[in-house]
Amino acid sequence: MRQLRRVMFHLLCVIAMLAASVTAMATGAQASVPNRWGFAVVNVTSGIPDLNHQAGSWGPGFNVSVTPGGVGQTFVRFPQIAITGGVVHVTAISDTAYWCQAQNWGPSGTDVVVAVQCYRYGGAPVFTPYSIVFEQSTGTLPPPQAFGYVHYNGGGITSQFNSAAGLNTVGGGGGVWTVTLPGLGSSGFAGNLQVTAVNPSQPARCKVGAWAPGVGAQAVQVRCHNATNVPLNTGWTLTYHRERAITGAAIPPKNFAYTFDNTPANPGPYAPVPPPVNFNSQAGVNTVQSSGLGQRLVTFPRVGVLQDQVQVTAYGPGPEFCNLQTIWNTSGSNAFVRNVVCYNAATRVAQPSLVTYTSAF
């Protein structure tokens, strides 16, 4: 009997070691899955878009490509990063009241393909250049760094990520939702938010309606409207990033920055406060200044390196929305966003906005 107990004890030890080994391998495999990301400025309806403003987690020898769809519709192919889930953000580049939205995305062979549709205010489809980013994340981050996203399809969460391993939640509907990102909290305003409408069948615009930081979680209100200014139940994506680039929770590039133009009546140049909403990875001081009604020049010093990406989201309880007046530029090591332009209907207005910049390097 004593010998039998010894045999059973050794067998249980072997089983426990095997279980621990399997768990370690599974955990290691999960941790080793690289983030997948890509960005581009789509300035053509067919072919290879601007090489100065596209990059991704694929290897050398591949480029983003674009094919046309219907009026105002394009399909963006990010090579060699096929995966389900993740989030997409899109910002129109136009001198008038245009916006772009994601329709859908997903793997196609070895690639990820994103359908993008652009509109003018009122709902007429139109092609305009736009800036687009796709990213999918895994793993955790040590505070104060934080990263989280949600893809909400109009009825529930389709995909999500939280770098504190928390479970993001969404409540509300009918055009107004509250997103809670547990574990990513801060004692005050810190980080940056981006929101994009997702709708395959009708015009939709989405924005950050309000933001309530807390030590335990970030609480963010998302507001969406239709082709005019009527609240709309639609899908959307939201990304929160703090001391990380918009491209995800993987090892960040050396050069990235973001800011929150929370006093748009300030002619500037001014550095938005509190400082944690005005982050610069190279210790530069980002500034914002007026360059006309509803036009804001944003300068990100020391981080301007090609290839690069910019996204913009409007902030506030109304139906206003923002885009980029033209493609940003770099000079020396500085990046200049000239300009962020915001609208209420087709009229330019001074409007708070959240702006994020990243280089691939």
Side-chain angles (χ1 to χ4, degrees):
M1 179 64 71
R2 194 173 295 170
Q3 184 177 2
L4 178 60
R5 283 199 295 267
R6 280 198 298 267
V7 171
M8 291 297 296
F9 175 77
H10 287 303
L11 181 59
L12 289 172
C13 288
V14 170
I15 292 172
M17 287 188 293
L18 286 172
S21 176
V22 170
T23 301
M25 286 189 294
T27 303
Q30 184 179 20
S32 68
V33 173
N35 290 5
R36 306 188 190 193
W37 60 272
F39 62 67
V41 166
V42 175
N43 59 341
V44 296
T45 58
S46 181
I48 307 298
D50 193 337
L51 293 175
N52 286 321
H53 303 292
Q54 63 163 278
S57 56
W58 48 83
F62 295 94
N63 291 310
V64 177
S65 61
V66 181
T67 55
V71 178
Q73 183 187 47
T74 44
F75 297 92
V76 184
R77 183 173 292 271
F78 293 108
Q80 302 296 302
I81 59 170
I83 198 166
T84 58
V87 288
V88 169
H89 292 292
V90 189
T91 298
I93 302 173
S94 172
D95 192 32
T96 191
Y98 292 175
W99 77 88
C100 298
Q101 65 196 58
Q103 292 184 301
N104 51 64
W105 64 89
S108 175
T110 60
D111 309 329
V112 165
V113 175
V114 185
V116 176
Q117 177 70 56
C118 301
Y119 296 95
R120 69 175 77 241
Y121 182 79
V126 62
F127 175 76
T128 185
Y130 58 85
S131 180
I132 181 171
V133 59
F134 166 84
E135 76 87 15
Q136 177 271 342
S137 288
T138 60
T140 58
L141 293 173
Q145 300 172 35
F147 197 90
Y149 62 69
V150 171
H151 173 203
Y152 181 81
N153 67 5
I157 294 176
T158 299
S159 66
Q160 65 167 301
F161 171 75
N162 183 302
S163 66
L167 185 65
N168 307 322
T169 60
V170 176
V176 184
W177 301 263
T178 297
V179 185
T180 303
L181 306 168
L184 306 185
S186 54
S187 59
F189 287 96
N192 190 265
L193 292 157
Q194 294 297 316
V195 173
T196 294
V198 180
N199 195 304
S201 59
Q202 64 176 310
R205 306 189 317 267
C206 297
K207 63 185 294 191
V208 177
W211 180 9
V215 173
Q218 300 290 338
V220 184
Q221 184 187 82
V222 173
R223 287 183 173 267
C224 299
H225 295 83
N226 68 2
T228 53
N229 286 344
V230 179
L232 177 68
N233 188 49
T234 184
W236 42 263
T237 57
L238 174 145
T239 295
Y240 173 74
H241 58 114
R242 186 171 74 233
E243 298 187 21
R244 306 297 281 198
I246 188 68
T247 43
I251 297 173
K254 292 181 180 179
N255 300 287
F256 66 95
Y258 50 75
T259 195
F260 181 12
D261 181 14
N262 46 29
T263 55
N266 186 337
Y270 85 106
V273 292
V277 302
N278 196 43
F279 181 82
N280 184 298
S281 67
Q282 296 298 320
V285 178
N286 312 320
T287 59
V288 184
Q289 67 187 86
S290 178
S291 54
L293 178 62
Q295 299 172 298
R296 304 291 277 174
L297 166 62
V298 183
T299 301
F300 294 115
R302 303 184 183 179
V303 294
V305 180
L306 300 177
Q307 291 81 19
D308 54 3
Q309 161 77 185
V310 172
Q311 290 291 321
V312 176
T313 291
Y315 180 92
E320 300 86 1
F321 62 100
C322 302
N323 63 23
L324 293 163
Q325 189 171 28
T326 188
I327 298 175
W328 58 95
N329 65 78
T330 58
S331 178
S333 62
N334 302 322
F336 300 96
V337 181
R338 189 188 299 274
N339 296 297
V340 173
V341 186
C342 299
Y343 297 90
N344 187 344
T347 302
R348 289 179 180 170
V349 293
Q351 183 67 28
S353 63
L354 295 133
V355 190
T356 189
Y357 171 91
T358 188
S359 167
F361 306 103

